[in-house]
Amino acid sequence: MRLVSIRHLTRYRYGRAVAFGEHRMMFRPRESYDQRVLSARLTITPTPARLRYVEDVFGNCVGIATFVGRARELTFESRVELEHAPAPAFSVREGEAEAHVGAMPLAYSPEDMPDLSRSMERHYPDPEGAVEFWARRFVRRVGPTSLRGLLSEMTREIHDNFAYQPRPDGAAQAPEQTLRLGRGSCRDFAILMIEAARSLGLAARFVSGYVYSPSPAAARLGSAGGGHTHAWACVYLPACGWVEFDPTNGLVGASDLVRVAVTRDPRQAAPLHGTWDGFAADFLGMDVEVDVTSADLTVAREVSRRQRASAA
């Protein structure tokens, strides 16, 4: 179990004082069996007239801030500490993996289909079938195809053969464009894998959050996507549930990943967006700083205990 500390700062700068409209933010990690928020503090400058929280249709925590007055800067600083103890992606007994995970072609149960159907729909045009053609490269021509093997191979293929190109803002590339260029950001890779999985009849969603590297193996991967928010994919497999795949780092499972938002489309998972009133030339720029650190939870608690004892 890890103790993960996250600091996420966003600062908007303007040439003169401007007015701010409503801003919506997604900074607080999702509570689940494998991650539990210990503390969360959000500092907004200037102080909003009102700050409230709601859950969106996916169960993500959304903060909504409204403002009065004007200012030349608007800053959001989120600080979070959480326990992180993800289970292995395929936690089954030896010899049961394929029966547990399933094989192609997969048919979801009638009970699950109404809830999964929207996550199975393609969201990007693929007029020449390039994404589906690429996805079917991972399907065996003879005999059943293991879903575990297919999705793991797809994850490694993107990591090994596509060039990572950070792009903190702007619209995501269409998956067909990512295939053609052979490069993209973490969200571009996530969307490519999501659309490829959907083309094979699988339910897939977009995940936004943070990446860290507590293990030497993960550190060797370089953990691309650090220094800002990160994005990856999750695919629904019967009995396993939603399994996470990070094609940017070639990781299967959530061992180095902290979930903040899970959505059907990346536009639903923006960490922060809002409006302001002024001239276009007033906007000078945006600064984003993300720092994620981790430590063994038992060690961290012992250090904290000793610090409190010495201060007493």
Side-chain angles (χ1 to χ4, degrees):
M1 183 179 293
R2 310 293 299 183
L3 173 65
V4 181
S5 301
I6 303 166
R7 174 182 175 269
H8 184 169
L9 173 73
T10 303
R11 179 185 298 109
Y12 297 101
R13 295 177 285 106
Y14 302 89
R16 66 188 183 96
V18 299
F20 304 111
E22 181 180 276
H23 280 65
R24 299 173 69 92
M25 64 219 76
M26 301 173 82
F27 295 140
R28 184 185 176 92
R30 291 172 64 104
E31 299 273 2
S32 187
Y33 65 92
D34 59 351
Q35 56 182 44
R36 183 169 72 92
V37 175
L38 300 176
S39 65
R41 185 172 75 253
L42 177 62
T43 304
I44 304 175
T45 309
T47 303
R50 186 186 183 198
L51 175 63
R52 62 190 179 96
Y53 291 91
V54 299
E55 281 193 356
D56 67 8
V57 293
F58 302 103
N60 303 308
C61 179
V62 181
I64 304 173
T66 54
F67 300 86
V68 296
R70 294 173 174 266
R72 296 182 61 175
E73 280 193 357
L74 178 60
T75 302
F76 298 80
E77 184 179 37
S78 168
R79 290 182 178 269
V80 174
E81 284 194 342
L82 73 152
E83 292 180 357
H84 197 235
F90 304 103
S91 53
V92 295
R93 290 183 294 180
E94 186 176 356
E96 294 185 351
E98 298 316 318
H100 188 81
V101 175
M104 288 286 295
L106 173 68
Y108 292 118
S109 71
E111 292 79 10
D112 290 339
M113 277 299 294
D115 298 301
L116 294 175
S117 59
R118 293 305 308 274
S119 296
M120 298 169 67
E121 295 175 359
R122 303 283 297 276
H123 285 62
Y124 292 83
D126 187 19
E128 298 181 2
V131 174
E132 182 175 358
F133 180 80
W134 180 80
R136 292 204 169 273
R137 292 173 46 202
F138 304 95
V139 179
R140 294 180 58 181
R141 295 186 179 183
V142 179
T145 299
S146 158
L147 286 172
R148 174 180 183 172
L150 181 151
L151 294 166
S152 298
E153 290 173 16
M154 190 180 290
T155 300
R156 289 192 294 268
E157 171 72 15
I158 296 174
H159 172 260
D160 293 346
N161 296 308
F162 287 71
Y164 173 64
Q165 187 177 60
R167 199 176 67 255
D169 52 16
Q173 292 177 170
E176 179 275 332
Q177 184 181 9
T178 301
L179 274 179
R180 177 166 43 83
L181 296 175
R183 65 176 184 271
S185 67
C186 58
R187 64 186 179 281
D188 299 327
F189 294 160
I191 292 168
L192 170 59
M193 184 159 183
I194 289 167
E195 287 292 290
R198 287 171 174 167
S199 77
L200 300 177
L202 301 174
R205 287 180 175 177
F206 182 87
V207 190
S208 177
Y210 305 98
V211 60
Y212 70 98
S213 299
S215 64
R220 284 196 297 272
L221 292 171
S223 286
H228 42 80
T229 55
H230 190 47
W232 58 98
C234 64
V235 180
Y236 190 78
L237 303 177
C240 286
W242 291 101
V243 179
E244 290 167 277
F245 300 88
D246 179 6
T248 303
N249 293 300
L251 299 174
V252 176
S255 60
D256 301 338
L257 304 170
V258 175
R259 293 181 302 277
V260 172
V262 180
T263 63
R264 283 187 297 104
D265 186 275
R267 290 169 294 188
Q268 298 169 306
L272 176 63
H273 65 95
T275 61
W276 58 279
D277 185 18
F279 296 104
D282 293 335
F283 183 65
L284 300 181
M286 177 181 71
D287 307 311
V288 178
E289 301 173 12
V290 176
D291 301 306
V292 184
T293 59
S294 71
D296 181 273
L297 186 59
T298 302
V299 174
R301 283 174 171 168
E302 178 61 20
V303 170
S304 178
R305 185 190 67 79
R306 292 180 178 179
Q307 289 175 341
R308 290 196 302 269
S310 63

